[in-house]
mmCIF file of all heavy atoms in Angstrom:
data_model
loop_
_atom_site.group_PDB
_atom_site.id
_atom_site.type_symbol
_atom_site.label_atom_id
_atom_site.label_comp_id
_atom_site.label_asym_id
_atom_site.label_seq_id
_atom_site.Cartn_x
_atom_site.Cartn_y
_atom_site.Cartn_z
ATOM 1 N N LEU A 1 -6.504 11.499 6.743
ATOM 2 C CA LEU A 1 -7.017 11.420 5.386
ATOM 3 C C LEU A 1 -6.228 12.161 4.460
ATOM 4 O O LEU A 1 -5.740 11.594 3.400
ATOM 5 C CB LEU A 1 -8.542 11.761 5.362
ATOM 6 C CG LEU A 1 -9.121 11.638 4.017
ATOM 7 C CD1 LEU A 1 -9.113 10.292 3.483
ATOM 8 C CD2 LEU A 1 -10.542 12.150 4.088
ATOM 9 N N ALA A 2 -5.805 13.362 4.758
ATOM 10 C CA ALA A 2 -5.056 14.180 3.808
ATOM 11 C C ALA A 2 -3.564 13.602 3.716
ATOM 12 O O ALA A 2 -3.175 13.642 2.544
ATOM 13 C CB ALA A 2 -4.938 15.564 4.544
ATOM 14 N N LEU A 3 -3.019 13.112 4.729
ATOM 15 C CA LEU A 3 -1.770 12.495 4.691
ATOM 16 C C LEU A 3 -1.813 11.286 3.777
ATOM 17 O O LEU A 3 -0.951 10.929 2.816
ATOM 18 C CB LEU A 3 -1.167 12.143 6.102
ATOM 19 C CG LEU A 3 0.184 11.590 6.165
ATOM 20 C CD1 LEU A 3 1.209 12.576 5.747
ATOM 21 C CD2 LEU A 3 0.504 11.225 7.548
ATOM 22 N N GLU A 4 -2.880 10.414 3.914
ATOM 23 C CA GLU A 4 -3.065 9.164 3.217
ATOM 24 C C GLU A 4 -3.289 9.433 1.804
ATOM 25 O O GLU A 4 -2.763 8.780 0.941
ATOM 26 C CB GLU A 4 -4.206 8.443 3.762
ATOM 27 C CG GLU A 4 -4.478 7.080 3.189
ATOM 28 C CD GLU A 4 -3.384 6.048 3.601
ATOM 29 O OE1 GLU A 4 -2.837 6.193 4.664
ATOM 30 O OE2 GLU A 4 -3.165 5.141 2.836
ATOM 31 N N ALA A 5 -3.936 10.553 1.408
ATOM 32 C CA ALA A 5 -4.272 10.969 0.141
ATOM 33 C C ALA A 5 -3.029 11.741 -0.624
ATOM 34 O O ALA A 5 -3.005 11.859 -1.756
ATOM 35 C CB ALA A 5 -5.526 11.764 -0.088
ATOM 36 N N GLY A 6 -2.085 12.152 0.231
ATOM 37 C CA GLY A 6 -0.934 12.932 -0.254
ATOM 38 C C GLY A 6 -1.400 14.409 -0.743
ATOM 39 O O GLY A 6 -0.886 14.859 -1.726
ATOM 40 N N VAL A 7 -2.418 14.912 -0.073
ATOM 41 C CA VAL A 7 -2.867 16.279 -0.320
ATOM 42 C C VAL A 7 -2.706 17.168 0.933
ATOM 43 O O VAL A 7 -2.731 16.566 1.987
ATOM 44 C CB VAL A 7 -4.284 16.343 -0.766
ATOM 45 C CG1 VAL A 7 -4.455 15.433 -2.083
ATOM 46 C CG2 VAL A 7 -5.262 15.740 0.255
ATOM 47 N N PRO A 8 -2.698 18.425 0.752
ATOM 48 C CA PRO A 8 -2.608 19.311 1.896
ATOM 49 C C PRO A 8 -3.975 19.192 2.707
ATOM 50 O O PRO A 8 -5.014 18.996 2.055
ATOM 51 C CB PRO A 8 -2.389 20.666 1.442
ATOM 52 C CG PRO A 8 -2.531 20.653 -0.030
ATOM 53 C CD PRO A 8 -2.588 19.272 -0.576
ATOM 54 N N ARG A 9 -4.010 19.433 4.000
ATOM 55 C CA ARG A 9 -5.166 19.307 4.858
ATOM 56 C C ARG A 9 -6.165 20.287 4.326
ATOM 57 O O ARG A 9 -7.444 20.037 4.260
ATOM 58 C CB ARG A 9 -4.810 19.494 6.237
ATOM 59 C CG ARG A 9 -6.058 19.356 7.172
ATOM 60 C CD ARG A 9 -5.609 19.574 8.659
ATOM 61 N NE ARG A 9 -5.045 20.833 8.944
ATOM 62 C CZ ARG A 9 -5.759 21.979 9.237
ATOM 63 N NH1 ARG A 9 -7.061 21.923 9.271
ATOM 64 N NH2 ARG A 9 -5.095 22.983 9.367
ATOM 65 N N ASN A 10 -5.779 21.536 3.943
ATOM 66 C CA ASN A 10 -6.779 22.558 3.496
ATOM 67 C C ASN A 10 -7.507 22.102 2.243
ATOM 68 O O ASN A 10 -8.511 22.634 1.889
ATOM 69 C CB ASN A 10 -6.031 23.816 3.356
ATOM 70 C CG ASN A 10 -5.245 24.000 2.201
ATOM 71 O OD1 ASN A 10 -4.802 23.007 1.595
ATOM 72 N ND2 ASN A 10 -4.813 25.311 1.998
ATOM 73 N N ALA A 11 -6.965 21.035 1.520
ATOM 74 C CA ALA A 11 -7.682 20.596 0.349
ATOM 75 C C ALA A 11 -9.072 20.017 0.764
ATOM 76 O O ALA A 11 -10.073 20.149 0.053
ATOM 77 C CB ALA A 11 -6.829 19.490 -0.401
ATOM 78 N N LEU A 12 -9.038 19.403 1.985
ATOM 79 C CA LEU A 12 -10.288 18.813 2.489
ATOM 80 C C LEU A 12 -11.152 19.840 3.216
ATOM 81 O O LEU A 12 -12.287 19.839 3.294
ATOM 82 C CB LEU A 12 -9.892 17.561 3.378
ATOM 83 C CG LEU A 12 -9.448 16.493 2.706
ATOM 84 C CD1 LEU A 12 -8.626 15.485 3.662
ATOM 85 C CD2 LEU A 12 -10.495 15.641 1.971
ATOM 86 N N THR A 13 -10.424 20.767 3.879
ATOM 87 C CA THR A 13 -11.280 21.728 4.711
ATOM 88 C C THR A 13 -11.748 22.899 3.798
ATOM 89 O O THR A 13 -12.664 23.647 4.297
ATOM 90 C CB THR A 13 -10.422 22.241 5.802
ATOM 91 O OG1 THR A 13 -9.208 22.907 5.374
ATOM 92 C CG2 THR A 13 -10.036 21.109 6.811
ATOM 93 N N GLN A 14 -11.098 23.166 2.654
ATOM 94 C CA GLN A 14 -11.631 24.274 1.769
ATOM 95 C C GLN A 14 -12.017 23.874 0.416
ATOM 96 O O GLN A 14 -13.100 24.383 -0.034
ATOM 97 C CB GLN A 14 -10.394 25.256 1.662
ATOM 98 C CG GLN A 14 -10.012 25.917 3.039
ATOM 99 C CD GLN A 14 -8.757 26.756 2.862
ATOM 100 O OE1 GLN A 14 -8.333 27.081 1.861
ATOM 101 N NE2 GLN A 14 -8.258 27.109 4.093
ATOM 102 N N ARG A 15 -11.439 23.106 -0.247
ATOM 103 C CA ARG A 15 -11.773 22.704 -1.640
ATOM 104 C C ARG A 15 -12.658 21.522 -1.754
ATOM 105 O O ARG A 15 -13.644 21.499 -2.572
ATOM 106 C CB ARG A 15 -10.475 22.389 -2.485
ATOM 107 C CG ARG A 15 -9.711 23.565 -2.803
ATOM 108 C CD ARG A 15 -8.692 23.273 -3.896
ATOM 109 N NE ARG A 15 -7.744 22.293 -3.565
ATOM 110 C CZ ARG A 15 -6.442 22.426 -2.955
ATOM 111 N NH1 ARG A 15 -6.129 23.773 -2.691
ATOM 112 N NH2 ARG A 15 -5.755 21.479 -2.691
ATOM 113 N N HIS A 16 -12.601 20.640 -0.919
ATOM 114 C CA HIS A 16 -13.375 19.345 -1.029
ATOM 115 C C HIS A 16 -14.157 19.018 0.254
ATOM 116 O O HIS A 16 -13.982 17.932 0.889
ATOM 117 C CB HIS A 16 -12.477 18.107 -1.395
ATOM 118 C CG HIS A 16 -11.660 18.347 -2.579
ATOM 119 N ND1 HIS A 16 -12.134 18.517 -3.951
ATOM 120 C CD2 HIS A 16 -10.283 18.548 -2.712
ATOM 121 C CE1 HIS A 16 -11.087 18.615 -4.707
ATOM 122 N NE2 HIS A 16 -10.051 18.736 -4.113
ATOM 123 N N THR A 17 -14.784 20.031 0.669
ATOM 124 C CA THR A 17 -15.564 19.897 2.009
ATOM 125 C C THR A 17 -16.561 18.757 1.839
ATOM 126 O O THR A 17 -16.906 18.182 2.876
ATOM 127 C CB THR A 17 -16.299 21.212 2.426
ATOM 128 O OG1 THR A 17 -17.054 21.592 1.325
ATOM 129 C CG2 THR A 17 -15.194 22.252 2.807
ATOM 130 N N ASP A 18 -17.165 18.562 0.705
ATOM 131 C CA ASP A 18 -18.066 17.419 0.520
ATOM 132 C C ASP A 18 -17.542 16.184 0.719
ATOM 133 O O ASP A 18 -18.072 15.211 1.349
ATOM 134 C CB ASP A 18 -18.719 17.519 -0.894
ATOM 135 C CG ASP A 18 -17.631 17.164 -2.012
ATOM 136 O OD1 ASP A 18 -16.473 17.804 -1.854
ATOM 137 O OD2 ASP A 18 -17.867 16.625 -3.090
ATOM 138 N N LEU A 19 -16.210 15.888 0.489
ATOM 139 C CA LEU A 19 -15.499 14.666 0.752
ATOM 140 C C LEU A 19 -15.212 14.492 2.152
ATOM 141 O O LEU A 19 -15.243 13.502 2.752
ATOM 142 C CB LEU A 19 -14.238 14.546 -0.208
ATOM 143 C CG LEU A 19 -14.421 14.393 -1.626
ATOM 144 C CD1 LEU A 19 -13.130 14.359 -2.399
ATOM 145 C CD2 LEU A 19 -15.199 13.245 -2.109
ATOM 146 N N LYS A 20 -14.796 15.672 2.837
ATOM 147 C CA LYS A 20 -14.585 15.596 4.266
ATOM 148 C C LYS A 20 -15.950 15.222 4.911
ATOM 149 O O LYS A 20 -15.895 14.358 5.839
ATOM 150 C CB LYS A 20 -14.149 16.964 4.706
ATOM 151 C CG LYS A 20 -14.025 17.136 6.218
ATOM 152 C CD LYS A 20 -13.790 18.566 6.687
ATOM 153 C CE LYS A 20 -15.236 19.175 6.672
ATOM 154 N NZ LYS A 20 -15.278 20.424 7.448
ATOM 155 N N ASN A 21 -17.045 15.958 4.689
ATOM 156 C CA ASN A 21 -18.346 15.494 5.288
ATOM 157 C C ASN A 21 -18.750 14.023 4.975
ATOM 158 O O ASN A 21 -19.219 13.321 5.803
ATOM 159 C CB ASN A 21 -19.286 16.504 4.715
ATOM 160 C CG ASN A 21 -19.081 17.900 5.198
ATOM 161 O OD1 ASN A 21 -18.417 18.057 6.178
ATOM 162 N ND2 ASN A 21 -19.740 18.828 4.498
ATOM 163 N N GLU A 22 -18.512 13.596 3.636
ATOM 164 C CA GLU A 22 -18.695 12.219 3.305
ATOM 165 C C GLU A 22 -17.914 11.242 4.162
ATOM 166 O O GLU A 22 -18.426 10.169 4.747
ATOM 167 C CB GLU A 22 -18.472 12.106 1.818
ATOM 168 C CG GLU A 22 -18.718 10.709 1.287
ATOM 169 C CD GLU A 22 -18.354 10.470 -0.183
ATOM 170 O OE1 GLU A 22 -18.557 11.487 -0.901
ATOM 171 O OE2 GLU A 22 -17.923 9.503 -0.555
ATOM 172 N N PHE A 23 -16.607 11.576 4.442
ATOM 173 C CA PHE A 23 -15.754 10.734 5.177
ATOM 174 C C PHE A 23 -16.209 10.625 6.638
ATOM 175 O O PHE A 23 -16.402 9.479 7.150
ATOM 176 C CB PHE A 23 -14.288 11.362 5.178
ATOM 177 C CG PHE A 23 -13.340 10.632 6.040
ATOM 178 C CD1 PHE A 23 -12.890 9.425 5.787
ATOM 179 C CD2 PHE A 23 -12.822 11.178 7.190
ATOM 180 C CE1 PHE A 23 -11.970 8.700 6.542
ATOM 181 C CE2 PHE A 23 -11.919 10.499 8.026
ATOM 182 C CZ PHE A 23 -11.507 9.222 7.658
ATOM 183 N N TYR A 24 -16.541 11.755 7.287
ATOM 184 C CA TYR A 24 -17.088 11.746 8.659
ATOM 185 C C TYR A 24 -18.433 11.105 8.650
ATOM 186 O O TYR A 24 -18.723 10.382 9.602
ATOM 187 C CB TYR A 24 -17.167 13.103 9.198
ATOM 188 C CG TYR A 24 -15.851 13.699 9.655
ATOM 189 C CD1 TYR A 24 -15.461 15.079 9.634
ATOM 190 C CD2 TYR A 24 -14.981 12.766 10.345
ATOM 191 C CE1 TYR A 24 -14.308 15.523 10.102
ATOM 192 C CE2 TYR A 24 -13.697 13.339 10.849
ATOM 193 C CZ TYR A 24 -13.428 14.575 10.655
ATOM 194 O OH TYR A 24 -12.167 15.165 11.167
ATOM 195 N N ALA A 25 -19.354 11.212 7.702
ATOM 196 C CA ALA A 25 -20.625 10.484 7.751
ATOM 197 C C ALA A 25 -20.379 9.072 7.611
ATOM 198 O O ALA A 25 -21.159 8.212 8.262
ATOM 199 C CB ALA A 25 -21.454 11.017 6.514
ATOM 200 N N GLU A 26 -19.526 8.629 6.838
ATOM 201 C CA GLU A 26 -19.223 7.108 6.750
ATOM 202 C C GLU A 26 -18.576 6.640 8.032
ATOM 203 O O GLU A 26 -19.007 5.526 8.429
ATOM 204 C CB GLU A 26 -18.156 6.852 5.674
ATOM 205 C CG GLU A 26 -17.968 5.445 5.347
ATOM 206 C CD GLU A 26 -19.183 4.640 4.829
ATOM 207 O OE1 GLU A 26 -20.067 5.372 4.171
ATOM 208 O OE2 GLU A 26 -19.290 3.441 5.146
ATOM 209 N N VAL A 27 -17.811 7.351 8.663
ATOM 210 C CA VAL A 27 -17.234 6.951 10.027
ATOM 211 C C VAL A 27 -18.383 6.858 10.974
ATOM 212 O O VAL A 27 -18.415 5.751 11.670
ATOM 213 C CB VAL A 27 -16.158 7.945 10.518
ATOM 214 C CG1 VAL A 27 -15.807 7.723 11.925
ATOM 215 C CG2 VAL A 27 -14.936 7.964 9.636
ATOM 216 N N ARG A 28 -19.263 7.737 10.986
ATOM 217 C CA ARG A 28 -20.410 7.602 12.007
ATOM 218 C C ARG A 28 -21.252 6.512 11.568
ATOM 219 O O ARG A 28 -21.834 5.756 12.488
ATOM 220 C CB ARG A 28 -21.136 8.999 11.990
ATOM 221 C CG ARG A 28 -20.413 9.979 12.762
ATOM 222 C CD ARG A 28 -21.249 11.327 12.999
ATOM 223 N NE ARG A 28 -20.414 12.362 13.464
ATOM 224 C CZ ARG A 28 -19.783 13.287 12.655
ATOM 225 N NH1 ARG A 28 -19.868 13.109 11.340
ATOM 226 N NH2 ARG A 28 -19.117 14.217 13.205
ATOM 227 N N ALA A 29 -21.447 6.322 10.318
ATOM 228 C CA ALA A 29 -22.478 5.233 9.907
ATOM 229 C C ALA A 29 -21.888 3.880 10.264
ATOM 230 O O ALA A 29 -22.664 2.926 10.451
ATOM 231 C CB ALA A 29 -22.643 5.271 8.378
ATOM 232 N N ARG A 30 -20.568 3.792 10.307
ATOM 233 C CA ARG A 30 -19.966 2.448 10.696
ATOM 234 C C ARG A 30 -19.985 2.236 12.159
ATOM 235 O O ARG A 30 -19.387 1.330 12.699
ATOM 236 C CB ARG A 30 -18.556 2.385 10.076
ATOM 237 C CG ARG A 30 -18.535 2.266 8.668
ATOM 238 C CD ARG A 30 -17.210 2.294 8.061
ATOM 239 N NE ARG A 30 -17.301 2.306 6.567
ATOM 240 C CZ ARG A 30 -16.576 1.397 5.922
ATOM 241 N NH1 ARG A 30 -15.781 0.579 6.508
ATOM 242 N NH2 ARG A 30 -16.692 1.430 4.557
ATOM 243 N N GLY A 31 -20.616 3.237 12.907
ATOM 244 C CA GLY A 31 -20.610 3.092 14.415
ATOM 245 C C GLY A 31 -19.311 3.712 15.026
ATOM 246 O O GLY A 31 -19.191 3.681 16.245
ATOM 247 N N GLY A 32 -18.528 4.200 14.288
ATOM 248 C CA GLY A 32 -17.269 4.804 14.903
ATOM 249 C C GLY A 32 -17.377 6.389 15.178
ATOM 250 O O GLY A 32 -18.503 6.942 14.589
ATOM 251 N N THR A 33 -16.588 6.807 16.061
ATOM 252 C CA THR A 33 -16.619 8.250 16.184
ATOM 253 C C THR A 33 -15.222 8.765 15.809
ATOM 254 O O THR A 33 -14.236 8.084 16.195
ATOM 255 C CB THR A 33 -16.713 8.596 17.751
ATOM 256 O OG1 THR A 33 -18.048 8.041 18.107
ATOM 257 C CG2 THR A 33 -16.746 9.976 17.940
ATOM 258 N N PRO A 34 -15.238 9.760 14.971
ATOM 259 C CA PRO A 34 -13.928 10.325 14.554
ATOM 260 C C PRO A 34 -12.965 10.588 15.702
ATOM 261 O O PRO A 34 -13.582 11.038 16.775
ATOM 262 C CB PRO A 34 -14.203 11.496 13.705
ATOM 263 C CG PRO A 34 -15.642 11.393 13.293
ATOM 264 C CD PRO A 34 -16.312 10.587 14.357
ATOM 265 N N ASP A 35 -11.704 10.292 15.527
ATOM 266 C CA ASP A 35 -10.820 10.478 16.680
ATOM 267 C C ASP A 35 -10.780 12.027 17.057
ATOM 268 O O ASP A 35 -10.773 12.326 18.401
ATOM 269 C CB ASP A 35 -9.297 10.300 16.232
ATOM 270 C CG ASP A 35 -9.180 8.755 15.943
ATOM 271 O OD1 ASP A 35 -10.097 7.913 16.437
ATOM 272 O OD2 ASP A 35 -8.221 8.299 15.429
ATOM 273 N N SER A 36 -10.915 12.998 16.172
ATOM 274 C CA SER A 36 -10.985 14.361 16.495
ATOM 275 C C SER A 36 -12.262 14.758 17.408
ATOM 276 O O SER A 36 -12.057 15.396 18.434
ATOM 277 C CB SER A 36 -11.035 15.293 15.283
ATOM 278 O OG SER A 36 -12.175 14.897 14.481
ATOM 279 N N GLU A 37 -13.281 14.041 17.055
ATOM 280 C CA GLU A 37 -14.564 14.250 17.934
ATOM 281 C C GLU A 37 -14.366 13.577 19.381
ATOM 282 O O GLU A 37 -14.643 14.133 20.319
ATOM 283 C CB GLU A 37 -15.676 13.711 17.285
ATOM 284 C CG GLU A 37 -17.117 13.840 17.915
ATOM 285 C CD GLU A 37 -18.340 13.453 17.267
ATOM 286 O OE1 GLU A 37 -18.158 13.345 15.968
ATOM 287 O OE2 GLU A 37 -19.242 13.067 17.801
ATOM 288 N N ARG A 38 -13.731 12.448 19.399
ATOM 289 C CA ARG A 38 -13.408 11.828 20.688
ATOM 290 C C ARG A 38 -12.557 12.656 21.546
ATOM 291 O O ARG A 38 -12.751 12.784 22.684
ATOM 292 C CB ARG A 38 -12.896 10.387 20.389
ATOM 293 C CG ARG A 38 -13.474 9.411 21.219
ATOM 294 C CD ARG A 38 -12.774 8.037 20.988
ATOM 295 N NE ARG A 38 -12.221 7.963 19.528
ATOM 296 C CZ ARG A 38 -12.337 6.994 18.775
ATOM 297 N NH1 ARG A 38 -12.907 5.881 19.099
ATOM 298 N NH2 ARG A 38 -11.933 7.053 17.449
ATOM 299 N N ARG A 39 -11.453 13.281 20.853
ATOM 300 C CA ARG A 39 -10.618 14.064 21.673
ATOM 301 C C ARG A 39 -11.351 15.235 22.249
ATOM 302 O O ARG A 39 -11.075 15.594 23.309
ATOM 303 C CB ARG A 39 -9.372 14.433 20.806
ATOM 304 C CG ARG A 39 -8.303 13.317 20.566
ATOM 305 C CD ARG A 39 -7.104 13.880 20.032
ATOM 306 N NE ARG A 39 -7.183 14.583 18.814
ATOM 307 C CZ ARG A 39 -7.227 14.106 17.574
ATOM 308 N NH1 ARG A 39 -7.067 12.723 17.479
ATOM 309 N NH2 ARG A 39 -7.392 14.739 16.518
ATOM 310 N N LEU A 40 -12.011 15.893 21.295
ATOM 311 C CA LEU A 40 -12.940 17.174 21.718
ATOM 312 C C LEU A 40 -13.818 16.784 22.911
ATOM 313 O O LEU A 40 -14.025 17.514 23.878
ATOM 314 C CB LEU A 40 -13.630 17.754 20.557
ATOM 315 C CG LEU A 40 -12.749 18.351 19.490
ATOM 316 C CD1 LEU A 40 -13.565 18.826 18.262
ATOM 317 C CD2 LEU A 40 -12.048 19.662 20.154
ATOM 318 N N ARG A 41 -14.465 15.696 22.799
ATOM 319 C CA ARG A 41 -15.385 15.336 23.846
ATOM 320 C C ARG A 41 -14.578 15.005 25.184
ATOM 321 O O ARG A 41 -15.101 15.536 26.173
ATOM 322 C CB ARG A 41 -16.240 14.047 23.526
ATOM 323 C CG ARG A 41 -17.231 14.338 22.441
ATOM 324 C CD ARG A 41 -17.982 13.147 22.032
ATOM 325 N NE ARG A 41 -18.822 13.305 20.972
ATOM 326 C CZ ARG A 41 -20.158 13.037 20.848
ATOM 327 N NH1 ARG A 41 -20.719 12.540 21.929
ATOM 328 N NH2 ARG A 41 -20.848 13.276 19.878
ATOM 329 N N THR A 42 -13.461 14.312 25.076
ATOM 330 C CA THR A 42 -12.719 14.171 26.239
ATOM 331 C C THR A 42 -12.170 15.448 26.854
ATOM 332 O O THR A 42 -12.301 15.751 28.046
ATOM 333 C CB THR A 42 -11.531 13.251 25.926
ATOM 334 O OG1 THR A 42 -11.929 11.992 25.456
ATOM 335 C CG2 THR A 42 -10.579 13.037 27.109
ATOM 336 N N GLN A 43 -11.869 16.316 26.038
ATOM 337 C CA GLN A 43 -11.401 17.711 26.452
ATOM 338 C C GLN A 43 -12.526 18.499 27.051
ATOM 339 O O GLN A 43 -12.316 19.113 28.082
ATOM 340 C CB GLN A 43 -10.689 18.361 25.329
ATOM 341 C CG GLN A 43 -10.126 19.805 25.803
ATOM 342 C CD GLN A 43 -9.449 20.539 24.625
ATOM 343 O OE1 GLN A 43 -9.654 20.175 23.376
ATOM 344 N NE2 GLN A 43 -8.554 21.452 24.884
ATOM 345 N N ALA A 44 -13.633 18.448 26.463
ATOM 346 C CA ALA A 44 -14.775 19.140 27.034
ATOM 347 C C ALA A 44 -15.197 18.601 28.417
ATOM 348 O O ALA A 44 -15.464 19.408 29.225
ATOM 349 C CB ALA A 44 -15.961 18.998 25.999
ATOM 350 N N ARG A 45 -15.129 17.363 28.487
ATOM 351 C CA ARG A 45 -15.471 16.696 29.820
ATOM 352 C C ARG A 45 -14.468 17.179 30.799
ATOM 353 O O ARG A 45 -14.807 17.503 32.024
ATOM 354 C CB ARG A 45 -15.458 15.147 29.694
ATOM 355 C CG ARG A 45 -15.860 14.374 30.967
ATOM 356 C CD ARG A 45 -15.996 12.926 30.769
ATOM 357 N NE ARG A 45 -14.864 12.388 30.042
ATOM 358 C CZ ARG A 45 -14.955 11.913 28.912
ATOM 359 N NH1 ARG A 45 -16.049 11.906 28.171
ATOM 360 N NH2 ARG A 45 -13.914 11.301 28.302
ATOM 361 N N ARG A 46 -13.128 17.067 30.566
ATOM 362 C CA ARG A 46 -12.118 17.484 31.373
ATOM 363 C C ARG A 46 -12.204 18.987 31.761
ATOM 364 O O ARG A 46 -12.052 19.394 32.934
ATOM 365 C CB ARG A 46 -10.782 17.220 30.852
ATOM 366 C CG ARG A 46 -9.594 17.553 31.774
ATOM 367 C CD ARG A 46 -8.328 17.022 31.159
ATOM 368 N NE ARG A 46 -7.306 17.922 30.562
ATOM 369 C CZ ARG A 46 -7.301 19.113 30.182
ATOM 370 N NH1 ARG A 46 -8.358 19.869 30.306
ATOM 371 N NH2 ARG A 46 -6.376 19.820 29.612
#
């Protein structure tokens, strides 16, 4: 998302956390799981 928007990643993790949360909420609402969450779940299982 940061790359797509042309902003540094910390813009989403520090300045615009509401947009970050909105993005992840929309991903979940559409039935998807964010890639980062999927990777973390796979790593936790392993």
Side-chain angles (χ1 to χ4, degrees):
L1 179 59
L3 186 62
E4 187 69 26
V7 298
R9 184 178 58 87
N10 72 346
L12 290 159
T13 60
Q14 295 173 9
R15 289 194 298 266
H16 306 295
T17 55
D18 61 322
L19 293 177
K20 175 190 76 160
N21 294 336
E22 182 181 324
F23 177 69
Y24 278 146
E26 185 65 29
V27 168
R28 285 186 190 91
R30 292 172 182 236
T33 303
D35 293 344
S36 58
E37 186 176 332
R38 226 181 331 224
R39 282 192 308 272
L40 286 173
R41 287 177 190 235
T42 300
Q43 185 178 17
R45 184 175 48 253
R46 188 171 98 351

